[in-house]
Amino acid sequence: MSIPIIVQYKVNAPVEKVWKALTDKEEMKSWYFNITDFELEVGKQFNFYEPGEAHKYHHQGEILEIVPNRKLKHTWSYPDFTEEKTVVTWELLQKEDETVITLIHENIDNFKDLGENFSRKSFAEGWSGIINQSLKPYLEK
């Protein structure tokens, strides 16, 4: 069993605002990825690429669990490279005026044969950057 990547940050924003940023495809464009086929419904698949015209790294996910303002769980995969999937869980916890965001990325070892861009280190740094340098400033503006 592989050890999950866990990234946690506090943001100075109410949980409802954080939830909307995580689940509204128009808001996601501002801090995350442009996911045009995202629908907040269990069983729905969504697809996106790294930013830029190259359409590098086709990402695909399927929503597994939704607990409004608390948890969003979905698969994370690269169908152009492997049939293997991982699972990403966003957990939110309101603490007074702040929200604690915990991201858990499980089964990351499923991608170990895909190279350095798919390594545990690469994902840990990527998630930290996405949350701390993109989502947090977006929510606290």
Side-chain angles (χ1 to χ4, degrees):
M1 183 173 148
S2 74
I3 298 168
I5 293 169
I6 300 174
V7 178
Q8 188 172 73
Y9 285 95
K10 286 182 185 173
V11 296
N12 188 18
V15 72
E16 296 83 8
K17 184 175 180 180
V18 179
W19 180 255
K20 190 165 190 247
L22 290 177
T23 60
D24 181 309
K25 65 183 173 186
E26 292 306 313
E27 288 207 28
M28 282 188 241
K29 281 195 265 189
S30 299
W31 69 270
Y32 195 39
F33 296 101
N34 184 10
I35 309 175
T36 58
D37 62 348
F38 184 87
E39 290 182 56
L40 188 60
E41 185 179 321
V42 172
K44 292 287 186 178
Q45 281 195 345
F46 56 93
N47 299 273
F48 62 98
Y49 294 88
E50 298 288 319
E53 296 301 314
H55 286 280
K56 191 174 180 184
Y57 300 127
H58 173 205
H59 298 66
Q60 187 172 73
E62 179 182 339
I63 298 180
L64 302 174
E65 184 179 359
I66 301 165
V67 181
N69 297 321
R70 301 250 334 265
K71 183 193 287 188
L72 176 64
K73 186 175 193 173
H74 59 81
T75 62
W76 183 278
S77 64
Y78 299 95
D80 295 345
F81 297 107
T82 180
E83 292 181 14
E84 295 288 340
K85 295 180 180 180
T86 60
V87 175
V88 172
T89 305
W90 296 86
E91 294 181 346
L92 308 178
L93 179 63
Q94 181 82 49
K95 286 210 170 177
E96 296 173 12
D97 295 339
E98 296 181 318
T99 300
V100 178
I101 300 170
T102 304
L103 179 129
I104 304 161
H105 196 159
E106 300 172 88
N107 304 320
I108 200 69
D109 291 344
N110 288 355
F111 296 154
K112 70 180 181 289
D113 296 333
L114 298 181
E116 189 59 33
N117 288 338
F118 302 92
S119 69
R120 169 178 293 282
K121 180 177 185 271
S122 179
F123 275 103
E125 289 172 356
W127 287 122
S128 289
I130 285 170
I131 296 172
N132 193 41
Q133 296 165 14
S134 191
L135 178 59
K136 185 175 168 66
Y138 173 76
L139 291 166
E140 293 180 347
K141 67 180 176 189

